Amino acid sequence: MKSRKKSGGVLGIVAMASIAALSLTGCTRTAPGEGGGTTAAPGITDSAITLGVTTPLSGATAGPGTCTVAGVQAYFGSVNAAGGVKFGDGKTRTVNIKAYDDAYDPQKSLSNFQQMVSDNVFAVTSGLGTPTNRAFRDAAISAKVPQVLVMTGDPLFSDREESPWQLGFVPIYQNEGSAFGELLAKSGQQHKVAVLYQNDDYGKGYVEGFKEAVQGASNVSIVGEQTYEATDTSVDAQLTQLAASGADVFFNAMSITPLVIASLQKAQQIGWKPSWFLPSNTSSPTAILQPGGAAAYPGIYTVSFAKAPQSPEFAQNEDVVKFLADLKQYGNYPDMPAFPHCMWSYMVGATLEEAFENMTEPTRENFMTALRDIKGLQAPLMLEGTAVDTTVDGQPAVSSVLVQKYNGRGYATAENFG
Amino acid sequence: MSNAPSVLRGRPARIALVVVLALVLLAAPLFLPPFANQTLVRIGVYAVAVLGLNIVMGYTGQVNLGQIFFVGLGAYVTAYGVNHDWNIVVVFIAACAVAGIVGLLVALAAARLGGLAIAMVTIALPIVGVPLAKRLDEFTGGSQGISARFSDAPEWSNLYSDQWQYYIVLLVTVVAFLLARNLVRGKYGRAFGVVKENEAVAASMGVSPYRTKVLAFTIASIYGGASGFLYMAAVQYTSPETLSFGHSISLLAAMVIGGAGSIIGSLIGGAYYVFVPQLTNAIDPSFTTASQGAILLVVLFLLPQGLVSLPRVVRRLTRGRTNRTTTARTTTGSNPPQTPPGPPPATEPAPEGLEKTERQDRS
């Protein structure tokens, strides 16, 4: 027994040593940068290209997160069914989308990114969330993997010097604020504006854009400015103060759904009925405006760049009909999309296709060059007057938005204020 | 007589085993693909956090639902220190110390409360922590979070960053595990055990339950801070999402699944925390929560003592089968069947089990 035990130990050592020796000979790491030049990058062959999406598919943000996958899957599902994308190098490839759930946890999104690199994904796209995208931004830069057309309003992703391998898709917060400011400045009437914003980069971004746009406009004066914290459960005090300023326009950069509903109700109670501006993500007609009793106000404004499939105006629209059919057939999303992210991610698909068609080499560098050279692309579902433009430094792929006015059921583009 | 030489003979074998293990751990990152290294790094991060949780919950029996708060705190302190160009050793000490001091202050108040009240206090930590991290944006970068890169491999090392990170995490994790092992096997470990079993008995033996709880809680917080430092080494970015309450519960689940009151169980718990999301992602990314729940239930039903008890359970099952077959053969005889070859149960449990009986004997 005893001698056997001892020999077991020795055997173990021998076994371990041989395992180590085997792995020594078996695995050697390829040097980084070997994929550069004219050889194809990982994730792209002569017949297919693989893209990865890390996005929240479980947890509190799963609703919009699921949409960010469904839209792009629907788009390329339909393209693949028609044969695939004809790339600029003359080869036709099908586009595969691999989805990874990060549950809005930065640590998991980084882990998903590392997994994508080991799964040979060509580029990461369409994922939702500022912290989750930031978590692997540095890693994507050092691995030289494109992280493009992601769903975050964070301007960092559109800064070319800071983020050479990144590009945001949706308008940054400043774009939304300034679109409304411009409309107000050219209205030709005198306006007193009350401003309420969330005391973080989100709220500050909106206000920054708005103030820039109305700077120098003699007809717009800001008469009151209040902030609230994202954790506050009531903004009644701020509303009462702003109401006392006698403003006729209320610029409310608020991201919390229940607070928006409560503010819409509270302002009515205290007899303050200005025109409202609300951010695009907290202006849903069914989820926010109807419960808030928004019909009582002279106007509720927001911004958009996508056709809303719910709106009766677009029910028969060619784009919308095809989009809904694709979403059902290829996106595994049979319902009417509840979040605009479904439409946005569908447009991401169209933008990527455009970049692929201009790619002359199957490399990531070439892809980035092609992607940064898209101008005036009218992707499906885009509103008349908006377009994809990736050529401007500091701006996301979509920076043009149109101010929309609530008409009691949905939104319609507002040409003029009032 | 015959025992002494066997111990002597066992010892070199054990040393050899430890040496081989150390060599394998040291050499592994040089041969493994980057993704394997990155996964091992994350396992180390969470193993340290789970280990801290195990000290306060598994060994001392005090419910702590706020461990992730200390991980996040350690991560923020690390990010702050790195961005202000502190020496990295100072950063590490600060991450542990700040988490430890906050843990101590909370414990001084919380340990006075009994049972579930202490759990409520610890729930409050991550719930307060998230908005606090958003508001203190001078230190934390607000809701956009904060990056800090200190774990990229330096030029002279000739290593890849994932290998360098592996060695950082390996160093801290090994030291943390050795310290924890010595702690729970020594005087304080026995005190933890008595307080867990019966506070009145502990008090009658001169062990102050209050001080013991505060000590355990503080040590757990320091481990949380160390884990936060490692988190920054691995992820290089933190945001308020890091300390969200849900992750605290996931850590707790990882501890129970790995094995409460077990050092090796903490390592397994860390591996569980990292592997299961990867596994469920591979199964179907749309159903990660459902499949994680299913895995949790299966493990808890089959192995209520955690994954660390798997070898024991397997052995018991195989022995049970041989027993049954022997019984079937000898039903006609009146004598009970002879025990089949193989060590009797009392002498064979894992080192953890031995340690436990020793502790109970002395108390």
Side-chain angles (χ1 to χ4, degrees):
Chain A
M1 270 300 268
K2 284 165 202 162
S3 61
R4 260 180 70 200
K5 209 173 186 179
K6 197 182 172 190
S7 74
V10 174
L11 258 181
I13 296 168
V14 172
M16 282 300 180
S18 47
I19 287 170
L22 273 176
S23 13
L24 237 170
T25 50
C27 317
T28 42
R29 194 179 289 191
T30 50
E34 225 168 69
T38 44
T39 49
I44 184 163
T45 64
D46 284 352
S47 60
I49 183 167
T50 306
L51 304 173
V53 181
T54 170
T55 204
L57 297 173
S58 63
T61 18
T66 307
C67 256
T68 59
V69 175
V72 73
Q73 264 176 348
Y75 188 85
F76 283 118
S78 148
V79 166
N80 290 345
V85 182
K86 192 157 178 6
F87 278 58
D89 60 0
K91 289 170 181 138
T92 301
R93 298 182 173 95
T94 54
V95 182
N96 305 319
I97 307 289
K98 279 186 96 153
Y100 301 80
D101 177 21
D102 61 35
Y104 212 72
D105 178 359
Q107 176 266 129
K108 282 197 190 116
S109 76
L110 176 75
S111 147
N112 287 346
F113 173 73
Q114 292 166 344
Q115 188 157 14
M116 284 184 216
V117 172
S118 95
D119 288 355
N120 281 333
V121 160
F122 179 79
V124 186
T125 188
S126 190
L128 168 77
T130 302
T132 44
N133 271 304
R134 275 200 175 214
F136 68 94
R137 188 181 139 270
D138 282 331
I141 294 171
S142 44
K144 299 190 173 163
V145 175
Q147 178 190 11
V148 292
L149 308 180
V150 287
M151 309 282 182
T152 163
D154 185 347
L156 177 69
F157 288 88
S158 305
D159 182 325
R160 294 199 177 174
E161 204 163 301
E162 294 259 340
S163 306
W165 291 92
Q166 279 77 10
L167 184 63
F169 184 72
V170 291
I172 54 178
Y173 311 133
Q174 284 82 347
N175 296 144
E176 294 203 3
S178 77
F180 183 68
E182 278 162 20
L183 189 78
L184 206 58
K186 67 170 191 189
S187 78
Q189 296 153 0
Q190 289 295 321
H191 294 293
K192 289 195 279 182
V193 184
V195 174
L196 176 64
Y197 63 95
Q198 193 163 305
N199 191 14
D200 60 12
D201 53 282
Y202 174 88
K204 286 173 189 161
Y206 273 94
V207 175
E208 188 191 316
F210 177 73
K211 282 186 176 166
E212 242 164 53
V214 299
Q215 207 176 29
S218 55
N219 64 329
V220 179
S221 56
I222 294 174
V223 292
E225 207 172 315
Q226 295 282 326
T227 66
Y228 74 95
E229 300 297 332
T231 45
D232 288 352
T233 51
S234 161
V235 291
D236 289 0
Q238 289 93 324
L239 286 174
T240 318
Q241 283 209 354
L242 292 173
S245 70
D248 65 324
V249 176
F250 181 30
F251 186 87
N252 187 5
M254 197 176 254
S255 75
I256 319 267
T257 300
L259 269 191
V260 179
I261 299 173
S263 329
L264 282 164
Q265 291 166 342
K266 178 70 183 175
Q268 284 178 51
Q269 280 169 18
I270 58 178
W272 182 39
K273 290 181 181 168
S275 291
W276 286 58
F277 169 80
L278 288 172
S280 59
N281 62 341
T282 45
S283 53
S284 157
T286 46
I288 292 180
L289 298 189
Q290 278 167 18
Y297 296 100
I300 304 279
Y301 296 85
T302 188
V303 294
S304 175
F305 61 93
K307 292 173 186 165
Q310 297 91 336
S311 161
E313 189 191 340
F314 296 121
Q316 301 305 317
N317 186 286
E318 207 180 305
D319 284 359
V320 171
V321 172
K322 177 162 175 15
F323 163 67
L324 290 176
D326 286 349
L327 207 57
K328 204 173 193 167
Q329 192 176 349
Y330 305 107
N332 192 19
Y333 200 102
D335 312 318
M336 182 67 90
F339 303 92
H341 304 77
C342 279
M343 285 84 87
W344 297 346
S345 131
Y346 195 73
M347 296 178 202
V348 165
T351 313
L352 286 170
E353 189 186 16
E354 177 81 8
F356 291 155
E357 283 170 357
N358 294 326
M359 249 172 93
T360 49
E361 285 169 18
T363 63
R364 287 168 170 159
E365 287 82 3
N366 193 264
F367 166 71
M368 285 308 286
T369 316
L371 183 72
R372 294 229 156 132
D373 195 33
I374 298 172
K375 203 170 177 172
L377 169 70
Q378 185 82 31
L381 295 174
M382 285 194 103
L383 286 169
E384 200 72 44
T386 61
V388 175
D389 183 350
T390 58
T391 59
V392 189
D393 185 13
Q395 295 289 347
V398 178
S399 57
S400 49
V401 286
L402 294 179
V403 179
Q404 306 281 300
K405 188 178 181 187
Y406 180 58
N407 58 17
R409 288 175 65 191
Y411 283 102
T413 303
E415 299 293 339
N416 298 297
F417 183 83
Chain B
M1 264 295 278
S2 66
N3 260 350
S6 107
V7 166
L8 279 179
R9 275 191 195 177
R11 209 156 177 204
R14 258 183 112 177
I15 290 171
L17 189 74
V18 168
V19 169
V20 169
L21 191 68
L23 283 179
V24 168
L25 282 175
L26 281 174
L30 303 176
F31 306 118
L32 289 171
F35 184 59
N37 287 343
Q38 289 156 342
T39 305
L40 289 173
V41 163
R42 273 196 304 279
I43 289 176
V45 173
Y46 287 101
V48 172
V50 171
L51 181 61
L53 194 59
N54 227 332
I55 288 173
V56 69
M57 274 190 81
Y59 285 99
T60 320
Q62 304 304 309
V63 181
N64 180 355
L65 302 172
Q67 181 71 354
I68 199 73
F69 172 80
F70 297 101
V71 177
L73 188 62
Y76 273 123
V77 171
T78 307
Y80 185 84
V82 167
N83 289 334
H84 286 75
D85 293 326
W86 298 356
N87 182 297
I88 198 63
V89 178
V90 177
V91 171
F92 176 68
I93 293 169
C96 296
V98 171
I101 290 166
V102 173
L104 175 67
L105 292 177
V106 172
L108 284 175
R112 293 214 177 271
L113 309 165
L116 290 175
I118 193 169
M120 294 303 113
V121 173
T122 56
I123 283 187
L125 290 174
I127 290 177
V128 173
V130 173
L132 208 60
K134 283 186 179 161
R135 261 189 214 208
L136 298 173
D137 55 354
E138 278 168 44
F139 300 103
T140 63
S143 55
Q144 287 186 325
I146 186 167
S147 293
R149 304 185 71 177
F150 65 94
S151 53
D152 289 343
E155 284 288 324
W156 54 263
S157 69
N158 230 349
L159 291 171
Y160 293 94
S161 287
D162 55 276
Q163 296 166 340
W164 183 252
Q165 288 170 10
Y166 174 92
Y167 286 120
I168 297 178
V169 172
L170 180 70
L171 176 71
V172 176
T173 307
V174 165
V175 170
F177 270 78
L178 288 179
L179 287 177
R181 178 178 165 277
N182 289 347
L183 178 85
V184 299
R185 290 192 172 184
K187 172 177 125 188
Y188 292 109
R190 289 193 294 277
F192 291 163
V194 188
V195 170
K196 181 186 180 182
E197 294 302 323
N198 191 329
E199 290 188 20
V201 170
S204 75
M205 295 194 323
V207 173
S208 158
Y210 175 66
R211 275 195 206 160
T212 310
K213 283 193 237 170
V214 170
L215 180 73
F217 202 94
T218 309
I219 292 173
S221 317
I222 294 173
Y223 272 90
S227 167
F229 174 85
L230 297 180
Y231 182 94
M232 283 313 279
V235 183
Q236 306 187 326
Y237 169 86
T238 185
S239 77
E241 302 301 326
T242 305
L243 29 110
S244 106
F245 178 60
H247 303 158
S248 227
I249 300 299
S250 305
L251 276 183
L252 184 70
M255 185 204 78
V256 173
I257 284 196
S262 158
I263 296 287
I264 297 298
S266 307
L267 191 62
I268 300 173
Y272 173 87
Y273 191 98
V274 171
F275 272 128
V276 166
Q278 285 181 5
L279 179 72
T280 51
N281 248 333
I283 297 171
D284 185 339
S286 313
F287 293 100
T288 49
T289 331
S291 41
Q292 280 170 28
I295 293 174
L296 184 75
L297 285 178
V298 167
V299 174
L300 285 183
F301 273 119
L302 296 182
L303 299 166
Q305 304 282 302
L307 285 171
V308 75
S309 66
L310 184 65
R312 241 177 294 164
V313 169
V314 167
R315 237 174 295 165
R316 200 191 311 143
L317 282 179
T318 47
R319 195 173 51 240
R321 196 162 299 154
T322 27
N323 260 341
R324 229 171 290 141
T325 43
T326 350
T327 325
R329 266 190 234 128
T330 56
T331 29
T332 43
S334 52
N335 283 344
Q338 286 219 318
T339 325
T347 56
E348 54 121 14
E352 306 284 333
L354 260 179
E355 193 271 315
K356 219 178 240 169
T357 35
E358 183 192 56
R359 196 173 65 206
Q360 280 159 359
D361 287 344
R362 296 203 194 170
S363 62

